[in-house]
Amino acid sequence: GYDDYGGYGYDEPYSPYLPPPIYEPRPRYPNPAPNRAPITRSTGSIVIVTGQHALYYTTPWGERYVYPIAVGREGKQWYGTTRVVSKKEHPEWRPTASMRQKNPKLPAVVKPGPNNPLGTRAIYLADGLLRIHGTNDPSSIGTNASSGCFRMYRQDVEELYDMVRPGTQV
């Protein structure tokens, strides 16, 4: 083998010899499924797999992050395609009229703080009331517990919040 002769200098970074060429052809990757939108390279993409209680974020550079989440209860789960429209640190929570009708003890507004169901960050989606947000009940992560939104652990939503930009496809 070539090792008997000192490796021909391939393993020396300042050697005058170039590394051997790659003889294997590059693998051909299949085209994405036609029913899936391509990743937008300028904003990345978020894919939520409700059945796995997982949120996948792919950065504009192709890095992939996976986060455990809580999803909507039976009959409250969201399906479809949307986009991020805005983000808010320390958001206020305003229960919907139907939530307040079911539970009249709910306040009109919950200010930021430890009792706020949205936690420390909220990522608002184009569908209006739908959000990706933190939670004041971390034990709900991995379950079907919300009224349709996607709950995340505090440290996870803060990390995602820093990376994701308005326009990101969900």
Side-chain angles (χ1 to χ4, degrees), residues 25-89:
R26 287 190 166 167
R28 294 196 177 266
Y29 296 102
N31 290 333
N35 62 346
R36 291 191 180 172
I39 294 171
T40 306
R41 289 289 170 202
S42 61
T43 58
S45 68
I46 294 173
V47 175
I48 296 170
V49 183
T50 306
Q52 294 177 3
H53 297 97
L55 181 149
Y56 297 85
Y57 175 61
T58 304
T59 69
W61 308 276
E63 296 172 302
R64 194 171 196 192
Y65 295 82
V66 182
Y67 301 101
I69 59 172
V71 299
R73 292 184 297 275
E74 190 67 36
K76 298 281 189 178
Q77 294 178 353
W78 174 84
Y79 299 93
T81 302
T82 188
R83 63 187 169 80
V84 172
V85 292
S86 64
K87 307 185 312 179
K88 178 85 172 137
E89 287 188 40

Side-chain angles (χ1 to χ4, degrees), residues 6-168:
Y8 296 112
Y10 293 143
D11 50 0
E12 295 179 29
Y14 300 107
S15 168
Y17 301 104
L18 295 175
I22 297 173
Y23 293 105
E24 295 178 22
R26 287 190 166 167
R28 294 196 177 266
Y29 296 102
N31 290 333
N35 62 346
R36 291 191 180 172
I39 294 171
T40 306
R41 289 289 170 202
S42 61
T43 58
S45 68
I46 294 173
V47 175
I48 296 170
V49 183
T50 306
Q52 294 177 3
H53 297 97
L55 181 149
Y56 297 85
Y57 175 61
T58 304
T59 69
W61 308 276
E63 296 172 302
R64 194 171 196 192
Y65 295 82
V66 182
Y67 301 101
I69 59 172
V71 299
R73 292 184 297 275
E74 190 67 36
K76 298 281 189 178
Q77 294 178 353
W78 174 84
Y79 299 93
T81 302
T82 188
R83 63 187 169 80
V84 172
V85 292
S86 64
K87 307 185 312 179
K88 178 85 172 137
E89 287 188 40
H90 306 290
E92 290 182 342
W93 178 58
R94 297 176 185 273
T96 64
S98 63
M99 288 177 178
R100 294 187 69 212
Q101 186 177 12
K102 288 179 189 173
N103 183 355
K105 294 181 180 181
L106 285 175
V109 177
V110 176
K111 298 287 185 188
N115 294 325
N116 187 317
L118 299 183
T120 61
R121 304 287 187 276
I123 300 167
Y124 295 84
L125 306 179
D127 295 273
L129 299 176
L130 191 60
R131 292 177 288 265
I132 299 167
H133 59 78
T135 183
N136 63 349
D137 182 12
S139 67
S140 69
I141 303 300
T143 68
N144 298 14
S146 76
S147 294
C149 290
F150 305 101
R151 298 179 187 174
M152 300 177 72
Y153 290 119
R154 182 189 55 80
Q155 64 273 18
D156 291 347
V157 76
E158 289 176 1
E159 180 179 81
L160 181 65
Y161 181 94
D162 289 341
M163 292 187 292
V164 76
R165 296 184 353 209
T168 299

